[in-house]
């Protein structure tokens, strides 16, 4: 595909490329030099992400629950060897 640069330096992005990149009228794009070529990328507007997780699970709560489960598994493993978590931690600090 070859296009002519207009008097203001403007070029039309071919429809096939716009469709592939999801570029629509009014979207923001960024340009950068890549060797002797120019690359273009659609910029997602951060405002479109506001509230995206509002109705979903709390990622912090999920992470804390996962950490608690990890800790309980580790404590159970240590208990099988007759060692408490406090003893293990104290031994680890002395190494």
């Amino acid at each position: 595909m070859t296009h002519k640069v207009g008097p203001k330096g403007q070029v039309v992005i071919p429809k096939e490329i716009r469709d592939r990149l999801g570029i629509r009228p009014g979207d923001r794009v960024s340009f950068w030099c890549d060797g002797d070529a120019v690359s273009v990328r659609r910029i997602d507007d951060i405002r479109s992400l506001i509230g995206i997780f509002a109705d979903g699970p709390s990622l912090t709560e999920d992470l804390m629950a996962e950490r608690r489960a990890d800790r309980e598994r580790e404590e159970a493993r240590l208990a099988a060897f007759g060692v408490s978590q406090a003893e293990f931690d104290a031994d680890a600090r002395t190494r």
Side-chain angles (χ1 to χ4, degrees):
M1 288 177 254
T2 305
H3 292 271
K4 185 182 256 185
V5 177
K8 294 183 180 180
Q10 297 171 322
V11 164
V12 173
I13 301 170
K15 182 171 181 355
E16 297 83 23
I17 295 174
R18 290 192 320 264
D19 290 346
R20 183 174 175 188
L21 297 177
I23 297 173
R24 293 184 293 264
D27 284 350
R28 296 177 54 88
V29 295
S30 67
F31 297 91
W32 67 95
C33 290
D34 187 10
D36 65 346
V38 174
S39 294
V40 62
R41 176 179 292 153
R42 181 175 58 90
I43 301 297
D44 290 322
D45 188 353
I46 191 128
R47 288 175 289 176
S48 68
L49 300 176
I50 293 174
I52 193 168
F53 296 113
D55 297 327
S58 166
L59 299 178
T60 303
E61 288 174 8
D62 288 349
L63 183 59
M64 289 173 64
E66 184 178 319
R67 178 66 180 103
R68 275 192 302 273
D70 288 345
R71 181 96 178 176
E72 289 169 3
R73 278 193 298 275
E74 181 64 18
E75 287 174 352
R77 189 176 72 79
L78 290 172
F81 291 103
V83 178
S84 71
Q85 184 69 48
E87 290 170 324
F88 180 81
D89 291 342
D91 183 56
R93 282 191 293 272
T94 61
R95 289 186 187 179

